[in-house]
Amino acid sequence: MATVLDSITEGVREDLAGRKAAVSLRDLEEQIAAAPPALDAHAALAGGRSDPAGVRIISEVKRKSPSKGDLAEIPDPAVLARAYQAGGASVISVLTEARRFSGSLADLQAVRAAVEIPVLRKDFMVDPYQFYEARAYGADLVLLIVAALDDAQLRDYLALTQELGMHALVEAHTVEEIERAVALGAQIVGVNVRNLKTLEVDVTHYAAMAQHLPEHVVRIAESGVEGPETVRDYAAQGADAVLVGEALVRNGEPELAVKEFRAASRAQTPAKETM
């Protein structure tokens, strides 16, 4: 039975065929050669567990989602990205998938030109061509979804990402996927509390999975953030960084929201009262 993830990746492949016909790999390689090197996303995200300033925040430019529909118009992603940076975001995530998220490579390019911090191309990476696109349009970091890739693909895509000077946020949802990611050399591992096969969200899932993340990887908590309390809880469970989309794009003051999220992550979880 086909899952939501299967349906999305099918559409991604269809759209990719059109872009391949329009822009050759050689053209992308020439763009990459003329561009400045990628920023160090690993350094930007590492150490959030022990940082007295709070966990790192990956702030997302996200217009739409399959589960919630339209989230925000975002007429100028560069303006939003600058607000995120001013609020203290460590990385800006940009959705580039068009059908389900209304994103584009133009959004990625606009954000890259607007900020001085690393930028994540958040998409469903299923073909080597997409990695050249990502670097050509300014990405410093790409998303690799373990559930969408076999071991050979994941290994090859990690190597290609490194070859192009970028880092990879390797996204897992189960213990088995975490183990696969780590065994194949992932340095930045995200646990998505939204199951991409069903779109169900369970914020307690991060705590269940976090104990399986080794100390040497950068730990990212993804999805499910409704407010500062969620960020605080993820921080208490050992996250180095938290990826936030909907709660920021729907907030009328994104700069202030990022500051609040970081501040909240420093707060201690209140002790439960005992009888």
Side-chain angles (χ1 to χ4, degrees):
M1 182 177 177
T3 66
V4 175
L5 180 58
D6 294 332
S7 176
I8 292 173
T9 55
E10 181 180 354
V12 165
R13 291 182 187 280
E14 291 174 2
D15 293 343
L16 178 59
R19 297 201 304 276
K20 281 184 172 182
V23 180
S24 72
L25 183 59
R26 184 176 183 84
D27 287 340
L28 293 177
E29 289 174 331
E30 289 176 355
Q31 284 182 243
I32 292 168
L39 300 178
D40 190 343
H42 184 278
L45 293 171
R49 277 171 273 173
S50 58
D51 190 344
V55 297
R56 316 300 190 221
I57 300 296
I58 304 174
S59 301
E60 197 154 78
V61 176
K62 182 178 185 180
R63 293 187 175 87
K64 187 176 179 180
S65 79
S67 60
K68 297 289 184 69
D70 293 334
L71 300 175
E73 290 187 7
I74 313 181
D76 189 344
V79 171
L80 179 59
R82 282 193 289 266
Y84 287 158
Q85 178 176 264
S90 295
V91 170
I92 308 295
S93 170
V94 183
L95 266 299
T96 60
E97 195 278 335
R99 298 191 185 199
R100 302 294 186 100
F101 295 89
S102 296
S104 69
L105 287 165
D107 287 347
L108 177 64
Q109 191 172 41
V111 169
R112 172 69 284 154
V115 299
E116 298 173 351
I117 57 178
V119 176
L120 162 67
R121 180 188 184 180
K122 194 175 183 189
D123 209 317
F124 299 80
M125 308 295 277
V126 293
D127 187 286
Y129 181 91
Q130 293 171 288
F131 294 80
Y132 290 91
E133 280 185 326
R135 183 80 279 273
Y137 282 83
D140 309 288
L141 183 67
V142 294
L143 179 71
L144 298 181
I145 301 173
V146 177
L149 305 168
D150 61 32
D151 282 359
Q153 289 172 314
L154 187 53
R155 183 185 298 108
D156 290 347
Y157 291 168
L158 282 167
L160 179 56
T161 300
Q162 184 175 17
E163 180 184 324
L164 291 170
M166 300 183 290
H167 284 94
L169 165 52
V170 183
E171 179 178 294
H173 189 266
T174 66
V175 174
E176 186 265 342
E177 289 176 2
I178 291 172
E179 291 174 346
R180 287 176 58 203
V182 173
L184 293 169
Q187 299 177 13
I188 305 170
V189 179
V191 172
N192 195 342
V193 303
R194 182 186 303 281
N195 186 329
L196 290 180
K197 295 180 179 180
T198 65
L199 300 184
E200 294 176 352
V201 174
D202 176 6
V203 293
T204 67
H205 188 64
Y206 184 80
M209 293 297 103
Q211 61 186 309
H212 300 283
L213 294 169
E215 283 294 320
H216 72 272
V217 303
V218 177
R219 304 175 181 185
I220 315 295
E222 302 177 49
S223 300
V225 174
E226 294 186 352
E229 297 80 8
T230 317
V231 176
R232 181 198 64 202
D233 290 346
Y234 284 152
Q237 293 154 10
D240 287 295
V242 179
L243 189 151
V244 190
E246 180 183 343
L248 285 176
V249 298
R250 284 184 161 172
N251 190 297
E253 299 183 76
E255 178 181 341
L256 179 60
V258 174
K259 289 179 180 178
E260 289 178 343
F261 288 166
R262 290 206 75 195
S265 74
R266 297 196 301 267
Q268 296 294 316
T269 304
K272 295 181 179 180
E273 295 184 4
T274 56
M275 297 298 292

